[in-house]
Every structure is written in C-alpha cells, then in structure tokens.
Amino acid sequence: MAAAAAAAPPFAAGDSPPPTALLLPRTTTTAGAAPAPRRSSASSRLHLLLTAALAVATSYLLLILPRTPLSAAPAPAAAARAQVKLEKPVVILISSDGFRFGYQHKAATPHIHRLIGNGTSAATGLIPVFPTLTFPNHYSIATGLYPSSHGIINNYFPDPISGDYFTMSSHEPKWWLGQPLWVTAADQGIQAATYFWPGSEVKKGSWDCPDKYCRHYNGSVPFEERVDAILGYFDLPSDEMPQFLTLYFEDPDHQGHQVGPDDPAITEAVVRIDEMIGRLIAGLEERGVFEDVNVILVGDHGMVGTCDKKLVFLDELAPWIKLEEDWVLSMTPLLAIRPPDDMSLPDVVAKMNEGLGSGKVENGEYLRMYLKEDLPSRLHYADSYRIPPIIGLPEEGYKVEMKRSDKNECGGAHGYDNAFFSMRTIFIAHGPRFEGGRVVPSFENVEIYNVIASILNLEPAPNNGSSSFPDTILLPSE
Ligand SMILES: [Zn+2]
C-alpha cells in the first residue's frame, strides 16, 4: 500500500490541470498550420494509400467505439417529450450522500440503471466543489455558487469577525448567502417542497419553510417514509402540487466513513438506495406521472479509503513551528489554520512547508500548505473572509492529526481536492427534458442550478454556472 503511494509523487511541479480540462478535447486546428513539405510522386501515392487506409480504420473504430461524446455536445436535435398528465414542469432533486461515482456498478442497481438507460448521465460523474464536504456541496448544487460565494465554506467554522460558530444545525439566514432554488421558486410564485437539504430550513426571500412543504431535519426518519411523503405531493390538487422537490438520503456516506468505499456494507447501502429509487419510480408510475417528472439523482461528493499509515502529525513540525491546537479550525482532510494576528502568515506557511519537506516528518511530503490566495485558482477557495488564511491540502487518502495516538483506524473520508476522481459523485437525470441513453461530459455541480431553473422556467439568480450550460444538456422545451 505504501509502495503504491510512493510510486506517484503527491504533488507534481505546478498545479494539476482543472479536472474539466482533462475531459475537453484538444483542439487541433489545421487552419494556419504550416503547409506540409512537398513529396515525390511515389511517396505521395504511398501517403495517399496510407491516408485512405487510416480513414477506413478510423471510421470503423468510430462505429465500434461506444458513443460517449467527449466534448460539450451541441444541444440535442429532438424536442422535449410532451407531458401527458401534469400541466407544469416538475423536478425532483435527489441526493444520496457520499455516493461515489462508480458505486452504481457495485451491485445490480436496476432502478438507477433504468434512469441511466432512459436518461442523461455524466460520463465520469459529477465534479464536486472544493472542499468536497457535505454542506458546502449541497448548497453549491442548490445555489450554483462556489462556497466562497455562498458562504458555507465548511461543515463547521467560526465567523472571524463576530466569533459566532456555524454548525450543521445553524439555520440563521446570515450564514446562508446566495439564492437557493427553493427561494428562486418561491420568489417567482412556484411552489417548492424540501424533504431535507442543507439550507432548506433557512427563511429567506419568499421562502419561510412552511410546514406543509418543508421538513425539519431528522436523520431517524426511515427512507421509505421520505419517499412516500414526496409521492404524497402528487396526490394534491394541481394548484397545490409543488414543482420543485428535494429528497435526501444520508447513505452511503454514513457507511463510507466507517468502513471505506470497498466494503460489502457499501454494496448493501447502494442496493438500498436503488430500492428507494425503485419505490419512487413505482409510486410515480402508479400515479401515471413518471414520464412527466424530471428526476435528477446526484450525490454531494465521493469517498476514499483512509488507513493506518497514511497520517501526518502536526506536532512533528515543532522544530520548525509549534502549532497551537486552537489555531487549527478544521483538521482533516481540510486543514484550515488561523494563527494569532501578530504572526506573519507567509512565515507560518514557509516554516510548515520546510518541515513537511525536510524528510524528517513522517508522510510530510503528502501534505502541502498554502496561503489561501495561493491555492490553485480552480479550487475557488480564497474570496471569502470566512475562509481561514492558511489551508493545507493532503494527498488523496492521507489524514492529518495533532499528535500520534495508539488508535489504528481504517475507514473513509472526503473533503480532498476535487480533482481526485475518488471525490466524484453521480449525475443521473430522467424525464421529459432529458434525452434517453445520453452521456454527457462530466461537469461541476454549480451548473445544476441553471439546469433546474431552465426546466422550471425560472429567472436564475446570478451564479457561478454557465448560462449556456442548460442548452447543452436539456432537450429544447416544446
Ligand atoms: Zn461524509
């Protein structure tokens, strides 16, 4: 295990390219290229023959290769399927927490695969925002904003000005910036219903989390009850029926933390999520509305195995700098540090990196410290006063602890750099606005806000998604 980790240097010189750039085709422009050198006629004929042979081989390859578009595909030619029973467009946005991309192949997941087969999905998954944590990502999906803009920069953090502390049960509007979809909908006279989603209990704009349409978080509610409540909304008279609905499941994140991504417990959790998707589909079919509803199944982030020897201990940096525990606002995998005001921040970063690179700190080479403004810009993790000034990025699967202990735990974690494939999750969408059997290039979850706004004919609030993105993924409305 250690040998495999040592094979690849944790941080190559310079930043890794943005994950989306890896998926984009290299544009090979021929225009303006230098003219080919002239050849003799014999070599020209040979060249022609070779070119023809290559062309035949290429077209054959194109025929046998799976038709996975690698570039941002143009809008599909077909139009949206006409809705049969429902008069208005409807979106159900479902999150399965910690559903790492690839889990859908861990077991037979017939219901999820029905959505994939007859719907549109992201080729190599949905790219989360950094930090790849639950609250920042759910709120990015709902607002189309990076955490530096929507304000939920971690699952818990202090406000450096007021000293107040944000936790996952903070519902005061002051923490939650931006405009989530349920607010956009309510402000424009569209009924929304939330069965759990980070931020949904916050009163904002015209959204006051009404009892009939907004559930207060309670992790002990059985998944079946959540699905059945969503189905119940489709029994309401059409003027009371919500057009935007959220549904949230804590699994398989819960199991992922305990046992890591490759344990049979994950397979069981994935099967159970598939059963819930099946229950939802069956309920919508019974009501004759399954083909009328746009179902969007996503996760917030992935999961990577963490184990015994992949640890960095901050107290081993003492010969370079003695870090006090109360400077460390979040430890792992997102290491966030705010030293006292009288200390030089660049000095703290330099001393930490010197120690980490000295070869004398165990696994020091797998952690690198940054002033937040020096983080790779693709992480979009600098422009908020809430983000602590010093951020550490551990290599995939490494964890940071204050000091060595006897515990020897294996499990799973997320929160790492969003360039790691292990942090990716799923995007699977099915309904009248999604072409069947279509696979689109992977994209960042901040694009989803505009997609849903477009389906519901809502004027989107300003956000970090691209305004042209919905046209690349949706069938044109009738
Ligand atoms: Zn988690």
Side-chain angles (χ1 to χ4, degrees), residues 106 199 457:
K106 273 192 176 286
N457 301 312

Side-chain angles (χ1 to χ4, degrees), residues 97 134 253-254 257 301 303 414:
D97 201 313
T134 297
D253 182 72
H254 172 70
H257 283 287
H301 53 69
M303 185 66 68
H414 53 88

Side-chain angles (χ1 to χ4, degrees), residues 408-423:
N408 189 5
E409 292 174 341
C410 288
H414 53 88
Y416 298 92
D417 189 333
N418 64 349
F420 295 133
F421 263 61
S422 59
M423 294 298 105

Side-chain angles (χ1 to χ4, degrees), residues 19-74:
T20 39
L22 295 171
L23 292 160
L24 293 173
R26 264 185 230 145
T27 29
T28 45
T29 43
T30 46
R38 284 186 144 255
R39 293 184 180 82
S40 72
S41 63
S43 81
S44 278
R45 270 198 304 278
L46 181 65
H47 178 72
L48 270 173
L49 273 171
L50 283 172
T51 311
L54 201 67
V56 171
T58 309
S59 49
Y60 175 68
L61 265 177
L62 285 174
L63 282 174
I64 60 167
L65 281 174
R67 298 191 60 193
T68 306
L70 288 174
S71 59

Side-chain angles (χ1 to χ4, degrees), residues 17-21 23-24 122-132 137 140-147 298-300 376-381 417-420 423-427 440-451 463-466 469-470 472-473:
T20 39
L23 292 160
L24 293 173
T124 46
L126 179 65
I127 303 167
V129 296
F130 179 81
T132 51
N137 272 280
S140 284
I141 294 167
T143 58
L145 295 169
Y146 291 113
V298 297
D300 50 350
S377 58
R378 62 185 171 75
L379 297 178
H380 305 278
Y381 202 62
D417 189 333
N418 64 349
F420 295 133
M423 294 298 105
R424 287 200 184 182
T425 180
I426 47 168
F427 175 89
V440 296
S442 291
F443 56 89
E444 285 193 326
N445 66 16
V446 294
E447 304 289 1
I448 293 173
Y449 175 91
N450 282 335
V451 171
N463 67 84
N464 297 124
S466 150
F469 184 79
T472 70
I473 195 168

